[in-house]
Amino acid sequence: MKILVIGATGYIGSAAATALVRAGHDVATLRRHHGRTPEGLQAVEGDLADPASLGPAATGFDRVVHVGPPLGEQADLAAVDALLSAGSPLVHTTGAAVLGSGAVDEDSAPDPHPIVAWRAEVERRVLAAGGQVVRPGLVYGNGGGLVPGLFARKAAERGIGLYIGEPGVRWPVVHVEDLADLYVTVVGRAGPGTVWHGTSETVRLDAIAAAVGGGRAVSWPLDEATAELGEIADLFTRDQDASSAKTRRLLGWHPANTSLIGYLEKSE
């Protein structure tokens, strides 16, 4: 297929673009004015912050895979509307944060954390237009994601692992290469108007903190974490177990990396 990847220079997007090329697709990338183009990819001019540029950029592609960064409610909704107006089927990335606490799956109704409240409406518009939604968990691997970006950094600063709030909070996680393979599978096999979960396991955040903190971790009080990180700190207190059983069963997606803690232990 001829596929436009939005966000191909980013952490997840670069892995997804590489996997799509490896699978034999003709991949192009959306490029802002004077922006960077990954080697081997065609550039299509456009900017998520300029909705008027997105319809023309997306026209003529068999699929548009959106793994670009969230820009906020107004910008994200305008960008999605513009992309859908092009008529090219859209694969859009949201995340497990769009779901509620506890055990949830692909059929669970959105109950987004307030910091990403608008993503439920983004999903609704994409699905109503016959697109697909991919909800990754916490993404790790290849030196990127929140594990080195926050957990390991705070452990290095404090000399001990830190988790926010109470112990026992769980998050779904996925290795970036497994998530990239999921985009290939969704593009090739998923039906219109469907939701898919990119989660390989559920891990306690205090266990992640201990794994990067030399085996020890302590709670970082929510008020202190909020003062440094902002509203996103509260997201780390939401306990969630997001199943991908339906995605695995219907699409045949089988993550190769199924132990974040094991991955961290091997990386030491």
Side-chain angles (χ1 to χ4, degrees):
M1 297 183 190
K2 187 178 179 183
I3 299 174
L4 175 66
V5 175
I6 298 173
T9 59
Y11 174 49
I12 298 173
S14 60
T18 298
L20 288 163
V21 169
R22 189 186 306 122
H25 298 293
D26 180 9
V27 179
T29 179
L30 189 74
R31 182 182 66 185
R32 290 179 295 178
H33 187 57
H34 296 312
R36 181 169 64 89
T37 303
E39 185 177 354
L41 298 187
Q42 171 194 353
V44 177
E45 297 296 326
D47 190 337
L48 285 175
D50 178 16
S53 71
L54 298 177
T59 299
F61 285 92
D62 298 310
R63 292 288 188 281
V64 175
V65 177
H66 187 349
V67 283
L71 300 178
E73 180 174 4
Q74 183 175 354
D76 284 0
L77 290 172
V80 164
D81 286 343
L83 290 169
L84 293 174
S85 72
S88 301
L90 177 63
V91 179
H92 194 280
T93 309
T94 55
V98 80
L99 294 164
S101 300
V104 289
D105 59 27
E106 294 89 342
D107 296 322
S108 298
D111 180 19
H113 189 279
I115 66 169
V116 292
W118 69 91
R119 285 190 172 185
E121 176 60 18
V122 169
E123 288 193 352
R124 188 196 68 77
R125 295 185 189 187
V126 171
L127 296 173
Q132 292 102 10
V133 168
V134 175
R135 295 172 178 157
L138 171 69
V139 186
Y140 70 94
N142 294 2
L146 278 175
V147 175
L150 178 61
F151 286 92
R153 175 172 56 83
K154 297 308 297 182
E157 290 175 3
R158 303 289 186 93
I160 191 171
L162 292 182
Y163 58 91
I164 299 173
E166 298 297 321
V169 171
R170 303 163 298 164
W171 268 23
V173 303
V174 65
H175 192 284
V176 66
E177 298 292 345
D178 290 318
L179 180 59
D181 288 341
L182 178 58
Y183 285 103
V184 175
T185 305
V186 168
V187 163
R189 301 188 60 183
T194 49
V195 174
W196 307 102
H197 280 187
T199 62
S200 60
E201 61 171 331
T202 297
V203 183
R204 286 174 54 145
L205 296 185
D206 54 357
I208 298 175
V212 299
R216 300 184 304 136
V218 297
S219 174
W220 189 9
L222 178 59
D223 57 347
E224 293 181 15
T226 302
E228 180 172 332
L229 303 177
E231 290 181 304
I232 195 173
D234 185 64
L235 184 60
F236 290 87
T237 68
R238 175 174 280 201
D239 179 69
Q240 188 179 74
D241 180 16
S243 168
S244 62
K246 181 178 179 179
T247 299
R248 300 183 196 215
R249 184 178 71 254
L250 297 184
L251 296 186
W253 177 66
H254 299 293
N257 302 275
T258 56
S259 176
L260 169 56
I261 302 303
Y263 171 85
L264 293 174
E265 291 173 348
K266 290 179 181 179
S267 300
E268 291 180 352

